[in-house]
Every structure is written in structure tokens, then in C-alpha cells.
Amino acid sequence: MELNALLATPFVLPSIPKVVALLLNELALSEPDLKKITQLISTDPALTTRLLQLANSVTYNPAGKIISDLETAVHRLGFD
């Protein structure tokens, strides 16, 4: 495909998933609610899986005790 044809092709950026938008809004609050954050994350299986993987990584869980509870994982990772 030539550059001019590529540039002439209209494209649409994907919209941010609703759960991510709601999560970002909650995290932007001065005092985010852990329970609400946990509920929002639990509605998205991919996000839940990724969060649990990250919480169980050596960086955040050097003791190696497996974290299977989403609220514990969110607490371990923090809001930043």
C-alpha cells in the first residue's frame, strides 16, 4: 500500500472500555474506595487476571505466598 493511500484511509481510534474509564475516575479521587475498585476490576476477566498475575510476581510478592483474592491484590499493588 502506498503512503498516500494509507494516509487517505480513515481510521477510528478504539474507545476506552467502560470499566477502565470508571476505574480511572475512581483512582483520580482524593480517597479512592478499595471496595469499588475491586468491584470494577472484577467485572473484567482480563484485567482481573493481569492484576492477580502482577500481584503474585516476585516484585510485589517476594515471599511467594499466592494471592488469589482480588481485594488483597489491589491492596498489595496500591493505587499509584
Side-chain angles (χ1 to χ4, degrees):
M1 180 177 264
E2 291 185 26
L3 181 59
N4 289 337
L6 183 62
L7 294 174
T9 306
F11 65 94
V12 177
L13 293 174
S15 62
I16 188 167
K18 183 178 180 179
V19 67
V20 174
L22 293 171
L23 187 57
L24 289 173
N25 284 337
E26 184 63 32
L27 290 170
L29 298 176
S30 59
E31 292 186 31
D33 182 10
L34 178 63
K35 193 166 244 7
K36 186 168 184 181
I37 289 170
T38 303
Q39 288 173 339
L40 287 169
I41 292 171
S42 69
T43 63
D44 187 320
L47 192 55
T48 300
T49 302
R50 183 66 185 120
L51 186 100
L52 288 171
Q53 285 175 338
L54 190 59
N56 283 297
S57 69
V58 175
T59 304
Y60 293 100
N61 190 10
K65 184 179 177 194
I66 295 176
I67 298 170
S68 59
D69 175 66
L70 189 56
E71 190 168 333
T72 303
V74 171
H75 189 267
R76 169 84 40 128
L77 295 173
F79 296 135
D80 293 332

